[in-house]
Amino acid sequence: MAASRYRRFLRLCEEWPVEETKQQRDFGSFLRQRVAQAFREGENTPISDPEACDQMYESLVRIHTNFYKNKYPRLKDTTFTGVTVEDCRTILATDILKQMEDRKNGTWKRLREKFSAKKPEEGLK
């Protein structure tokens, strides 16, 4: 029985897309790592709680097939701010987040340099 569970998880991992724009934050990559950890011995891995394993698989399948997105369709494809799905994907890309972090660090460094450049005597006056 563990062999069939292992094969189902492998099939799910193959179907789950990997987003190259989200390096080290992609759920597909995370899922593959967790399956590899959980089934270290492959098909021969003993499963301590088969019901929990089956529930986890079914939950992942519902996420993968957009079960709830289809069950509860949205009226608009935007958020309350008006941002579209594509805009969100662009903003959450690793490259963009890194640029924003660099910009944030740049501002912080400028402020720190501005206030630390003063001599101690000037602060007393």
Side-chain angles (χ1 to χ4, degrees):
M1 202 61 174
S4 65
R5 285 185 177 93
Y6 176 65
R7 281 188 236 118
R8 289 189 320 174
F9 273 100
L10 282 182
R11 197 171 325 115
L12 181 63
C13 287
E14 289 173 4
E15 293 174 5
W16 205 289
V18 175
E19 289 190 48
E20 298 297 327
T21 61
K22 295 182 180 177
Q23 300 160 354
Q24 299 181 3
R25 296 180 302 116
D26 177 50
F27 189 75
S29 300
F30 176 76
L31 178 62
R32 287 166 179 76
Q33 290 172 355
R34 290 298 304 251
V35 168
Q37 288 174 355
F39 293 96
R40 290 183 185 172
E41 298 174 25
E43 294 181 352
N44 299 326
T45 303
I47 298 175
S48 60
D49 191 359
E51 292 82 22
C53 182
D54 292 340
Q55 282 182 338
M56 187 174 299
Y57 175 77
E58 293 301 324
S59 296
L60 289 169
V61 167
R62 284 193 297 271
I63 293 170
H64 178 63
T65 59
N66 292 322
F67 176 81
Y68 292 106
K69 179 182 178 186
N70 297 332
K71 185 175 180 180
Y72 305 106
R74 298 175 56 126
L75 299 176
K76 298 180 181 179
D77 288 334
T78 61
T79 63
F80 72 96
T81 60
V83 178
T84 64
V85 174
E86 283 303 315
D87 292 339
C88 288
R89 283 195 180 118
T90 302
I91 291 168
L92 293 175
T94 302
D95 298 338
I96 300 298
L97 290 175
K98 188 173 188 299
Q99 288 175 3
M100 290 172 62
E101 188 66 31
D102 290 344
R103 180 177 288 168
K104 205 184 313 181
N105 286 343
T107 304
W108 174 249
K109 285 180 183 176
R110 283 194 305 265
L111 286 173
R112 189 175 61 199
E113 289 171 358
K114 180 179 178 181
F115 291 111
S116 66
K118 294 182 180 179
K119 295 179 182 174
E121 297 86 358
E122 290 179 21
L124 297 174
K125 292 182 181 178

